[in-house]
Amino acid sequence: MSRKYFFILMALAVISVKSLVAQNQIGIIPQPSSMESQSGKFVINQKTIIYTNKKDADLLNVADRLNDMLKLHLGYQLKTNDLSVNKGGIRLIVDHSFASNEGYEMLVNNNFIEIRGGSAKGIFYGMQSLRQLLPVSKAVTAVIPGLKIQDEPRYKWRGMHLDVGRHFFNKEEVMKYIDYLVMYKLNIFHWHLTEDQGWRIEIKRYPRLTEVGAWRDKVGFVQNQKIGLNVDDGKPYGGFYTQDDIREVVAYAAKRYIEIIPEIEMPGHSLAAMNAYPELCCFPKELKKYTDGPVTTDIYCAGKEESFLFLENVLKEVFELFPSHYIHIGGDEAFKAKWQRCPLCQKRIKDEGLKNEDELQSWFIRRIEKFINANGKKLIGWDEILEGGLAPNATVMAWRGGKAVGDAAKTGNDAIYAVAWPLYFSDGQNNDPLAPGNPGGNTLMKVYNCDPAPGGMTDEEKKHFLGVQACLWSERTPKFEHIEYQLFPRICALSEVTWSQAGKNWSWFYDKLENHEKLLDFYSINYSKRRSFTLDVQRQFLPDRKGIVLKLTPEVKTPVYYTLDGSDPDKNSNVYQLPLFIDKTCSIKACVFDRDGKTDQISTHFFRSHQAIGLKVDLGTDFRDISSVALTDGQLDVWTQFEAKDLNFIIDLGKIKKVNNIATTFRECTFKRHFLPESAEFLVSSDGSHFESIQTYKSNSVPENRANPNRKEYFSVVVGKEIRYVKLLAKNPGLIQGKSIISGQPSKILLDEIIVD
Ligand code: ACM
Ligand code: ZN
């Protein structure tokens, strides 16, 4: 074939599929690896037969699931017959030649719909694609357009989590949630079963866990009551799953190829268990009932043997209930102030030769891991389990940043990417002030654009990267309709992140979703119809050109307006066209407008031109792993944090220059452990060895968690000299004082641009 002819054919193939997409005939979420339009069509009616291997229980199950789907869309189910008598109909066939047992191929023509899968599971995923081609209005026949799909998943871990501790969702709701995971070819349901605010799983040996631990006085979370999401009716709030309920949900999930990973939190996030059995904590007399905040400082006592006996007995019952190879033990946000004060915990530290409470947590997790491994299971924990030394066979769930994935893989441990921004669906997806969920910017587009593939890993390390998961914490979602709102349509974007191999295209996805909403309406799902009117902003610093490129992408298809003079944009302002290059001092304000001419947020960025832009800052040996780029990239309000140690930074201007002024900004945000330095000093030099102090600053601020936690301090000094080197010294304020969950931890200094004029 000539190259020209080949390209024409390729173009026609692309156009034919795209034209079907344009006609809203094919738009499958997640995007299959390849999809071609074929001639013909297959009509499903009441006489259509499902053909499969009737001796295979797995295939009969898959045929049943297909019938569930047809019943929903068409109102009837089809007869199943053996493939050997196949006369054309819907054919479900296992094909062991497939590379992935989750892969499938679907062929539709005038005679049949054939779904071949690497296993019954692969066929099941093919059926989920077929679901999206079924009619979503009253119909007795389904006309499926001729096509060929070849498809397999990108990642083997495609997970979605649900917190049933903060608010309880009954087993029927959980099964509905599982149905939603199924629609998008996810395969893991991470069930967060225990929390400070509620213990949700019946444990026969410890009945008080659910008699006491599953109930609290109030609905909770005053924020929800303020916006009318629920009311405190004075009755105890709560609920739990009996072991029979759990078995029912596990069986339901298994028939839908969903593996349930149970999470039993330890050593923190366990106040409900301690309220039931106070002897499990360090100071039973100090125990409080459930509080409104998401976390408490209570923690299982690591010094008492009873704690381990209890946890092992609980885990034994959990192992019996859940067939999964994995068990999640939490491990996150375990505040260790009580361990610091507890004589038994301190004795444990001494007896085990541990250095501190971080190592005690690590020892705790390792001990539990041994028990879990001895029972033939594998431990998963949140990324805090890396602190103080990782348990040898543990799998790490990275929620605070992707770096944990690389750190785990380096030691040969498996890891899952579940990074909170943008994969916590408990955070908001738009700026609707009445929406359920924590306010936040985990917009649909951010989820869609999330790229979890870790960079800089060796091939061996990459094998430890299992996949991706999103999480839904339920503090702010008291009812299942709120859960649906937070889940949809972001789960659609998640499915493309976890499943799709093909290159992503936001614009195409956006169009596909418009059509897909008809299916969500048909299923009466309470999805978010409101798109975000905030901009996705990507900033790239170009050191050679001493400027930044701003890429402003709206979630909605509408023009972006911007100004460079500090005024708020309106519809007469500049229309953003190309990536915008900025190298002069200015403030950039940009936004999009909704139909009513309103905007959610004006996105504001400050660029400050000065003499040190693009120069490297020597951070010394204490901060070797930290990038100094943001200190001299011209962008204001872009912060770098430096933990525990004093700063001793030097900038070399390259040659002697007249310098009029030097400045920087420190920022305090106490609950994030960011504090103003105890003191700071700018020094200058012309030879790099003799430095002259220009001015010293003292903050007089105690590092302590405060009610009004956020402030900035601009530190600017007049120089008026010919110099070559600028030095910044800043003293870290030390360990955090007072009595709060962050007390005793090291402070961090947060620093903005170092401006040299
Ligand atoms: C977490 O969000 N604390 C895992
Ligand atoms: Zn203790």
Side-chain angles (χ1 to χ4, degrees):
M1 193 189 308
S2 79
R3 269 175 79 84
K4 193 170 149 199
Y5 185 56
F6 174 78
F7 281 116
I8 291 171
L9 269 187
M10 286 292 289
L12 283 177
V14 170
I15 289 165
S16 65
V17 174
K18 284 211 166 165
S19 66
L20 278 171
V21 171
Q23 293 159 33
N24 289 335
Q25 288 184 32
I26 302 183
I28 290 171
I29 297 174
Q31 185 64 33
S33 313
S34 90
M35 185 158 72
E36 286 165 34
S37 179
Q38 307 264 304
S39 63
K41 59 179 185 285
F42 186 85
V43 181
I44 303 173
N45 61 35
Q46 301 197 42
K47 295 205 191 100
T48 305
I49 306 277
I50 301 170
Y51 293 100
T52 194
N53 178 355
K54 287 195 80 169
K55 290 192 207 81
D56 186 324
D58 267 354
L59 286 170
L60 289 179
N61 169 55
V62 166
D64 285 348
R65 301 289 75 78
L66 177 57
N67 266 329
D68 293 344
M69 225 159 78
L70 296 173
K71 177 105 185 141
L72 263 177
H73 284 258
L74 301 172
Y76 53 83
Q77 301 196 324
L78 302 179
K79 289 209 175 64
T80 303
N81 214 333
D82 199 76
L83 260 179
S84 55
V85 294
N86 164 28
K87 295 195 180 67
I90 304 178
R91 314 197 315 201
L92 311 178
I93 302 169
V94 171
D95 185 337
H96 294 293
S97 72
F98 280 56
S100 159
N101 75 329
E102 295 191 302
Y104 71 92
E105 220 178 85
M106 179 157 76
L107 198 62
V108 181
N109 58 30
N110 286 331
N111 300 320
F112 56 76
I113 297 175
E114 182 174 285
I115 306 177
R116 288 178 173 269
S119 66
K121 191 176 184 185
I123 296 173
F124 185 69
Y125 292 135
M127 281 160 38
Q128 302 315 318
S129 294
L130 179 61
R131 175 199 299 276
Q132 298 184 27
L133 305 171
L134 294 174
V136 288
S137 52
K138 239 180 159 46
V140 285
T141 59
V143 181
I144 311 297
L147 51 75
K148 182 177 178 185
I149 296 177
Q150 285 171 311
D151 203 5
E152 63 176 17
R154 183 175 185 195
Y155 294 117
K156 61 182 175 199
W157 186 288
R158 304 183 301 279
M160 190 70 226
H161 147 292
L162 180 65
D163 165 17
V164 295
R166 274 57 177 265
H167 285 101
F168 178 68
F169 304 99
N170 63 32
K171 73 175 177 197
E172 287 78 15
E173 290 166 332
V174 170
M175 290 192 273
K176 230 178 183 185
Y177 196 77
I178 287 170
D179 288 344
Y180 299 154
L181 273 50
V182 162
M183 279 166 66
Y184 300 102
K185 305 187 176 80
L186 303 186
N187 61 355
I188 300 282
F189 171 45
H190 171 175
W191 204 358
H192 183 80
L193 286 163
T194 70
E195 251 310 332
D196 286 320
Q197 294 89 350
W199 182 283
R200 305 296 178 207
I201 172 173
E202 178 190 28
I203 300 294
K204 302 273 190 203
R205 182 158 178 157
Y206 299 104
R208 283 175 60 81
L209 283 173
T210 42
E211 285 165 12
V212 175
W215 304 95
R216 60 182 189 244
D217 296 344
K218 292 177 186 283
V219 177
F221 305 104
V222 171
Q223 275 297 327
N224 298 326
Q225 291 165 29
K226 279 190 189 152
I227 59 171
L229 295 181
N230 62 1
V231 286
D232 176 11
D233 60 7
K235 293 187 194 137
Y237 173 86
F240 64 92
Y241 311 103
T242 64
Q243 294 203 347
D244 280 344
D245 290 340
I246 299 267
R247 276 186 275 268
E248 193 181 334
V249 174
V250 166
Y252 185 88
K255 285 188 172 165
R256 287 153 183 84
Y257 302 94
I258 295 275
E259 181 175 341
I260 302 188
I261 315 294
E263 181 178 354
I264 305 296
E265 269 270 12
M266 62 189 81
H269 281 281
S270 300
L271 180 59
M274 290 173 228
N275 273 324
Y277 295 97
E279 62 274 23
L280 299 173
C281 69
C282 296
F283 303 104
K285 286 202 185 110
E286 292 179 17
L287 269 185
K288 289 202 186 73
K289 286 286 272 185
Y290 145 83
T291 53
D292 196 48
V295 277
T296 68
T297 56
D298 289 289
I299 187 161
Y300 288 120
C301 179
K304 293 180 186 166
E305 279 307 295
E306 294 97 299
S307 303
F308 293 94
L309 185 66
F310 166 82
L311 288 168
E312 290 177 6
N313 284 332
V314 167
L315 288 176
K316 273 189 217 156
E317 293 193 32
V318 174
F319 296 154
E320 287 297 313
L321 289 167
F322 292 92
S324 172
H325 188 48
Y326 288 105
I327 172 114
H328 201 307
I329 54 76
D332 58 316
E333 298 177 314
F335 297 105
K336 305 183 186 81
K338 300 217 163 138
W339 282 359
Q340 282 169 1
R341 288 195 286 125
C342 170
L344 293 175
C345 286
Q346 290 304 313
K347 179 170 184 311
R348 181 78 80 185
I349 288 178
K350 204 157 155 237
D351 291 352
E352 297 294 332
L354 306 172
K355 278 212 233 27
N356 52 30
E357 289 74 22
D358 276 347
E359 288 200 359
L360 182 58
Q361 155 131 343
S362 172
W363 175 87
F364 190 116
I365 304 291
R366 282 169 200 257
R367 179 166 168 172
I368 292 291
E369 181 181 54
K370 261 198 208 127
F371 177 77
I372 288 174
N373 291 165
N375 281 273
K377 301 266 183 176
K378 209 162 151 43
L379 176 149
I380 305 185
W382 299 107
D383 58 41
E384 284 92 334
I385 65 169
L386 281 157
E387 292 162 9
L390 188 56
N393 307 310
T395 298
V396 171
M397 191 166 267
W399 73 279
R400 295 177 300 178
K403 183 172 176 292
V405 171
D407 290 349
K410 273 197 195 80
T411 52
N413 291 75
D414 288 348
I416 297 147
Y417 187 97
V419 173
W421 305 279
L423 293 178
Y424 273 15
F425 291 179
S426 13
D427 278 16
Q429 59 195 310
N430 57 44
N431 278 13
D432 181 350
L434 296 180
N438 302 317
N442 285 349
T443 63
L444 179 68
M445 187 165 68
K446 282 206 180 131
V447 176
Y448 183 82
N449 287 335
C450 163
D451 183 8
M457 277 167 113
T458 64
D459 286 346
E460 195 48 40
E461 285 165 7
K462 277 185 196 148
K463 287 186 196 148
H464 292 289
F465 180 48
L466 302 185
V468 182
Q469 176 178 301
C471 298
L472 218 173
W473 303 97
S474 63
E475 291 93 335
R476 302 285 302 277
T477 43
K479 301 198 181 118
F480 193 68
E481 68 198 62
H482 305 139
I483 291 288
E484 288 187 340
Y485 183 94
Q486 293 299 75
L487 193 61
F488 286 96
R490 287 184 289 189
I491 191 173
C492 304
L494 175 72
S495 77
E496 301 230 339
V497 175
T498 57
W499 177 281
S500 299
Q501 309 270 356
K504 285 192 278 181
N505 179 329
W506 166 255
S507 171
W508 198 359
F509 175 74
Y510 186 90
D511 290 343
K512 242 183 353 183
L513 194 60
E514 249 168 36
N515 186 46
H516 189 79
E517 285 181 352
K518 293 185 192 128
L519 180 69
L520 307 184
D521 286 332
F522 182 68
Y523 288 165
S524 301
I525 291 169
N526 180 38
Y527 61 94
S528 166
K529 296 181 181 65
R530 182 177 160 132
R531 298 282 173 259
S532 168
F533 281 80
T534 53
L535 287 170
D536 183 69
V537 180
Q538 284 171 31
R539 298 187 272 197
Q540 192 192 1
F541 175 55
L542 305 179
D544 297 343
R545 296 178 63 193
K546 298 190 188 304
I548 54 166
V549 171
L550 271 175
K551 197 165 169 238
L552 307 170
T553 319
E555 187 166 300
V556 283
K557 289 192 170 176
T558 181
V560 177
Y561 296 92
Y562 73 95
T563 63
L564 297 177
D565 62 2
S567 63
D568 285 352
D570 59 29
K571 287 197 173 170
N572 299 316
S573 305
N574 303 312
V575 175
Y576 172 82
Q577 294 258 334
L578 289 161
L580 187 59
F581 179 70
I582 304 284
D583 63 353
K584 306 262 177 332
T585 296
C586 66
S587 51
I588 307 120
K589 289 188 165 189
C591 70
V592 289
F593 296 102
D594 67 12
R595 258 188 237 116
D596 304 327
K598 292 208 191 87
T599 184
D600 275 356
Q601 197 174 56
I602 295 176
S603 173
T604 306
H605 310 274
F606 302 100
F607 186 83
R608 177 67 157 75
S609 173
H610 62 91
Q611 297 200 65
I613 287 194
L615 298 183
K616 195 170 159 13
V617 182
D618 178 357
L619 303 180
T621 50
D622 284 340
F623 299 109
R624 213 192 295 275
D625 294 341
I626 293 184
S627 163
S628 70
V629 171
L631 299 178
T632 49
D633 65 355
Q635 299 185 70
L636 303 188
D637 222 8
V638 175
W639 304 85
T640 310
Q641 65 175 19
F642 301 95
E643 179 163 347
K645 306 257 174 57
D646 298 338
L647 317 189
N648 184 346
F649 298 168
I650 297 179
I651 302 175
D652 177 357
L653 300 175
K655 59 178 187 224
I656 293 195
K657 289 182 177 173
K658 177 80 191 285
V659 169
N660 294 321
N661 204 84
I662 318 171
T664 190
T665 307
F666 301 108
R667 178 166 166 189
E668 182 172 84
C669 185
T670 66
F671 66 88
K672 289 187 178 163
R673 297 200 275 129
H674 297 141
F675 292 95
L676 303 179
E678 188 181 310
S679 62
E681 184 178 6
F682 272 124
L683 304 94
V684 295
S685 164
S686 50
D687 61 7
S689 52
H690 300 92
F691 279 89
E692 175 195 351
S693 173
I694 300 294
Q695 197 173 317
T696 303
Y697 149 95
K698 285 217 179 304
S699 81
N700 295 325
S701 162
V702 181
E704 195 169 4
N705 207 359
R706 279 188 284 278
N708 191 6
N710 210 333
R711 62 177 166 149
K712 292 179 193 170
E713 192 97 2
Y714 184 59
F715 177 39
S716 169
V717 305
V718 176
V719 181
K721 280 189 180 34
E722 303 262 327
I723 55 146
R724 175 166 167 181
Y725 298 90
V726 171
K727 186 188 273 202
L728 171 65
L729 300 178
K731 193 155 176 44
N732 183 287
L735 297 183
I736 295 163
Q737 302 183 19
K739 279 191 190 161
S740 74
I741 54 177
I742 55 170
S743 298
Q745 297 186 47
S747 322
K748 303 171 190 173
I749 293 176
L750 202 58
L751 194 63
D752 200 354
E753 186 82 359
I754 301 177
I755 301 167
V756 180
D757 279 327

